[in-house]
Amino acid sequence: DTGVSQDPRHKITKRGQNVTFRCDPISEHNRLYWYRQTLGQGPEFLTYFQNEAQLEKSRLLSDRFSAERPKGSFSTLEIQRTEQGDSAMYLCASSLPGTGTTDTQYFGPGTRLTVL
Amino acid sequence: AQTVTQSQPEMSVQEAETVTLSCTYDTSESDYYLFWYKQPPSRQMILVIRQEAYKQQNATENRFSVNFQKAAKSFSLKISDSQLGDAAMYFCACVPNFGNEKLTFGTGTRLTIIP
């Protein structure tokens, strides 16, 4: 069990550019979550998938954000036309409900985005 | 909807002593889970302890234990025999069972261990 991995770990971009982040969940975890964490705050929910289906999106996820999980394994989060307010840590988590550790989400190391 | 409040932005404790971090929450759900996560500086968030709301017995994990007061909607974390490696941000979180599965976090408590 290698844990949740995210790539890249750090991304610096200029305002207006597009960025894409990748998350690989723990093997066989069917639920995958994206959260955003700004400095001094707790993570805030963005969206989550069960297998390849995106089941819920937060109002924080504007039209410039899109997330996919095409084969029910890894997921990507794309931000188009980045703004300085998008600067944050983007966290991915995964879970496998019903295995005795129901609803425990395991987090990756995060991708820190800086928009200049 | 859930809200989670951590009223202590910062706490410090002498090494080997005991410290308690506070958390209160509000939820309209009858069945939910509560968590404490630890986020060391520049490192990923890891689970410290979890509590099922339907269980009256307080969860324990080695030096970590909780005081779960369901009626008061309080969920504090006690760390015994504090160690330097316990220094981190600690986040309290709540998630409903059989619901949308999204964690609602508090704003965190930064714990400093004094050698």
Side-chain angles (χ1 to χ4, degrees):
Chain A
D1 191 347
T2 57
V4 179
S5 62
Q6 292 187 245
D7 183 69
R9 295 290 305 276
H10 303 273
K11 179 69 176 180
I12 300 174
T13 190
K14 293 182 178 180
R15 188 177 56 184
Q17 298 295 305
N18 299 344
V19 294
T20 300
F21 311 141
R22 176 180 170 126
C23 171
D24 287 87
I26 293 172
S27 179
E28 298 181 354
H29 277 195
N30 62 354
R31 286 188 177 165
L32 186 149
Y33 310 79
W34 286 99
Y35 292 84
R36 182 169 69 186
Q37 185 179 20
T38 54
L39 201 61
Q41 299 296 316
E44 295 176 291
F45 171 81
L46 292 179
T47 188
Y48 92 100
F49 294 82
Q50 179 152 320
N51 299 312
E52 65 274 9
Q54 189 173 17
L55 297 187
E56 184 168 343
K57 293 168 59 173
S58 163
R59 287 172 294 176
L60 292 174
L61 216 63
S62 75
D63 291 343
R64 297 184 297 104
F65 288 71
S66 62
E68 295 182 341
R69 195 182 183 197
K71 298 182 179 179
S73 57
F74 73 91
S75 175
T76 57
L77 177 67
E78 180 183 18
I79 309 174
Q80 295 183 328
R81 304 181 304 281
T82 53
E83 302 173 355
Q84 288 184 328
D86 297 332
S87 296
M89 177 76 84
Y90 290 84
L91 297 170
C92 178
S94 70
S95 71
L96 183 60
T99 60
T101 57
T102 302
D103 299 312
T104 294
Q105 295 177 27
Y106 297 89
F107 283 81
T111 295
R112 182 169 295 284
L113 173 66
T114 302
V115 182
L116 301 177
Chain B
Q2 290 75 235
T3 60
V4 177
T5 302
Q6 294 180 249
S7 58
Q8 306 156 314
E10 296 184 354
M11 292 280 286
S12 61
V13 63
Q14 204 82 27
E15 193 176 2
E17 296 296 309
T18 296
V19 64
T20 299
L21 308 184
S22 301
C23 172
T24 58
Y25 63 94
D26 194 15
T27 179
S28 57
E29 304 290 336
S30 59
D31 191 9
Y32 53 90
Y33 294 84
L34 296 164
F35 301 86
W36 279 97
Y37 281 91
K38 168 185 177 182
Q39 190 175 40
S42 301
R43 295 179 62 186
Q44 71 193 78
M45 192 167 308
I46 59 175
L47 177 69
V48 175
I49 199 165
R50 57 174 268 160
Q51 174 82 42
E52 291 85 349
Y54 64 86
K55 290 186 177 179
Q56 293 185 341
Q57 186 174 8
N58 290 324
T60 62
E61 285 289 343
N62 301 314
R63 298 183 294 107
F64 299 88
S65 61
V66 298
N67 183 4
F68 175 46
Q69 302 288 331
K70 190 172 184 178
K73 295 184 176 178
S74 170
F75 183 61
S76 61
L77 175 70
K78 186 172 82 171
I79 306 174
S80 303
D81 185 26
S82 297
Q83 300 175 0
L84 294 177
D86 295 333
M89 282 291 288
Y90 285 81
F91 292 97
C92 178
C94 178
V95 65
N97 197 15
F98 305 118
N100 55 26
E101 310 293 346
K102 64 182 182 183
L103 284 164
T104 299
F105 286 87
T107 52
T109 296
R110 181 175 302 280
L111 178 65
T112 301
I113 311 297
I114 303 167

